[in-house]
Amino acid sequence: MIRTVLKTTLPICFGYLPLGVAFGMLFQELGYPWYFATLMGVFIYAGAAQFMAIGLLTASAGFVEIAIATFFLNSRHLFYGLALLNSFGNWGFRKLYLIFGLTDEVYALMSTIEVPEGYDKSKFYFLMTLFSQSYWVLGCTIGAWTATQLTFNTQGMEFAATALFTVLLIEQWIKVRKPLPFVIALIASAIALLLFAQHMLLFAISLSLIMMMVLRSTNQKVRDEY
Amino acid sequence: MNIEYLVIVIVIMSLATFATRLPPFVLFSGREKHPLLQFVAKYTPPMVMTILVIYMLKGVDFLAMEGLYAFAALAITIAFHLWKRNALLSICVGTSFYMMAVQW
């Protein structure tokens, strides 16, 4: 099972390692001990939020402001659980950890792939989440630790995340085979980029969900086909 | 540099992040079979995936060389995936190409 999970999550590794290293390098410029970069990866485990934290820490931002900013930056995750309600069983603490570790990449992977025959689903998901977080924590640590001594040029490696989402988009197309959700998402993205480029993800996801549900409740054809 | 401040910030950000990931599981537990929820569960992933791809590409300047490389890397990723349908392979080939292009 470990080998299969490793193979499944390796694309996440390509994305998380360089991004984590970039975070660690920026973080250590603040002058804190390196292991706080590790702790942030372990407890916060949110890429964009951790990068934002560097700015907030530099500005000595207030606690309420930090709480609100973090919540809004990550609020797209509010929708991610919806697709996985059926996939997660009553697995106690294991389930809590899966929810804690539901990042963009892990969500994308989990909502697209099927757990291979013969594997325990809860264990498979758990290892997927654990491995993905390990890549991130490892990246944060290496970055803060080695900082300027890094010799491997990771420039361009961030494309792995784009490639991962693209591949999963193709897989979603093969799975769904109906144009409507993709077209709606395109329209919602265009509107979001025009109106709220700063909060594009949250706005586009909310808008596309609303559009999809309105169409379902007003259009008989959509209701029958979808 | 203030360790106490940093620790509190880490705690707050951990809780705030978890608070964005938990609600669906609390609000809708036991109602997974509701037709509207099943509808939403089925169609959020394709929509989110489309939006994430656009989000990743929105910062790319398609009139610069970087944009040309990104476009080519994307085309290679898609072509490989349609050809072999091996996610890891498609991602590795596309990413390696992009890395070589921008580092050259």
Side-chain angles (χ1 to χ4, degrees):
Chain A
M1 168 129 72
I2 289 183
R3 269 186 57 181
T4 315
V5 178
L6 263 180
K7 242 178 94 182
T8 312
T9 56
L10 212 52
I12 296 187
C13 181
F14 295 141
Y16 276 6
L17 266 184
L19 201 65
V21 168
F23 166 77
M25 288 168 80
L26 282 172
F27 177 79
Q28 65 82 37
E29 285 174 15
L30 297 176
Y32 290 108
W34 61 268
Y35 49 79
F36 277 105
T38 311
L39 289 176
M40 288 173 84
V42 170
F43 289 107
I44 304 176
Y45 186 34
Q50 281 177 233
F51 277 98
M52 180 184 71
I54 294 172
L56 293 170
L57 287 166
T58 314
S60 302
F63 297 135
V64 178
E65 186 192 339
I66 291 176
I68 294 173
T70 308
F71 185 83
F72 278 100
L73 186 68
N74 287 326
S75 48
R76 64 183 180 283
H77 294 156
L78 284 167
F79 301 110
Y80 288 1
L82 292 173
L84 295 167
L85 286 173
N86 264 327
S87 310
F88 292 178
N90 286 322
W91 300 326
F93 278 110
R94 200 173 271 183
K95 183 179 178 182
L96 269 186
Y97 178 64
L98 295 184
I99 296 170
F100 163 81
L102 205 52
T103 59
D104 293 318
E105 284 80 354
V106 173
Y107 163 77
L109 211 54
M110 270 185 191
S111 63
T112 306
I113 63 147
E114 306 283 348
V115 174
E117 281 295 325
Y119 289 119
D120 177 33
K121 211 172 166 188
S122 78
K123 228 176 175 175
F124 197 88
Y125 280 158
F126 179 76
L127 286 181
M128 264 175 80
T129 308
L130 185 67
F131 285 5
S132 302
Q133 187 177 15
S134 306
Y135 308 140
W136 176 248
V137 172
L138 198 67
C140 294
T141 310
I142 294 172
W145 216 15
T146 54
T148 47
Q149 307 157 26
L150 211 67
T151 47
F152 179 62
N153 188 352
T154 58
Q155 195 200 344
M157 214 169 170
E158 72 279 357
F159 187 82
T162 313
L164 171 67
F165 294 141
T166 305
V167 163
L168 293 178
L169 176 60
I170 297 173
E171 288 297 322
Q172 282 293 341
W173 170 255
I174 293 169
K175 215 168 152 178
V176 176
R177 289 254 175 221
K178 289 171 192 165
L180 192 62
F182 302 96
V183 174
I184 285 184
L186 275 176
I187 297 170
S189 301
I191 297 174
L193 281 175
L194 283 173
L195 298 180
F196 299 97
Q198 285 295 315
H199 303 282
M200 183 262 181
L201 276 179
L202 174 64
F203 189 80
I205 293 174
S206 327
L207 185 63
S208 56
L209 251 184
I210 294 170
M211 284 162 76
M212 198 73 192
M213 288 202 281
V214 168
L215 273 178
R216 180 180 182 267
S217 61
T218 55
N219 190 315
Q220 186 64 44
K221 207 169 153 244
V222 171
R223 204 159 36 234
D224 292 342
E225 283 178 27
Y226 288 87
Chain B
M1 200 181 89
N2 180 342
I3 298 287
E4 196 185 317
Y5 173 71
L6 176 63
V7 170
I8 299 174
V9 169
I10 293 178
V11 172
I12 289 175
M13 291 189 75
S14 309
L15 293 176
T17 301
F18 189 57
T20 62
R21 293 174 185 167
L22 184 66
F25 297 94
V26 177
L27 292 173
F28 302 115
S29 90
R31 273 179 284 182
E32 294 87 354
K33 298 283 175 243
H34 191 283
L36 185 62
L37 263 178
Q38 295 225 316
F39 174 79
V40 169
K42 191 167 168 200
Y43 293 111
T44 22
M47 295 194 294
V48 170
M49 233 59 77
T50 309
I51 294 164
L52 280 173
V53 171
I54 297 171
Y55 176 76
M56 298 303 287
L57 294 173
K58 84 177 163 82
V60 177
D61 179 1
F62 278 99
L63 294 174
M65 279 311 268
E66 176 214 7
L68 188 70
Y69 299 148
F71 186 79
L74 209 59
I76 289 171
T77 308
I78 295 170
F80 256 86
H81 199 64
L82 293 176
W83 179 35
K84 293 278 187 192
R85 245 191 117 187
N86 177 336
L88 191 56
L89 181 74
S90 327
I91 293 163
C92 282
V93 173
T95 308
S96 315
F97 170 83
Y98 186 76
M99 284 177 75
M100 283 192 292
V102 292
Q103 287 185 18
W104 212 5

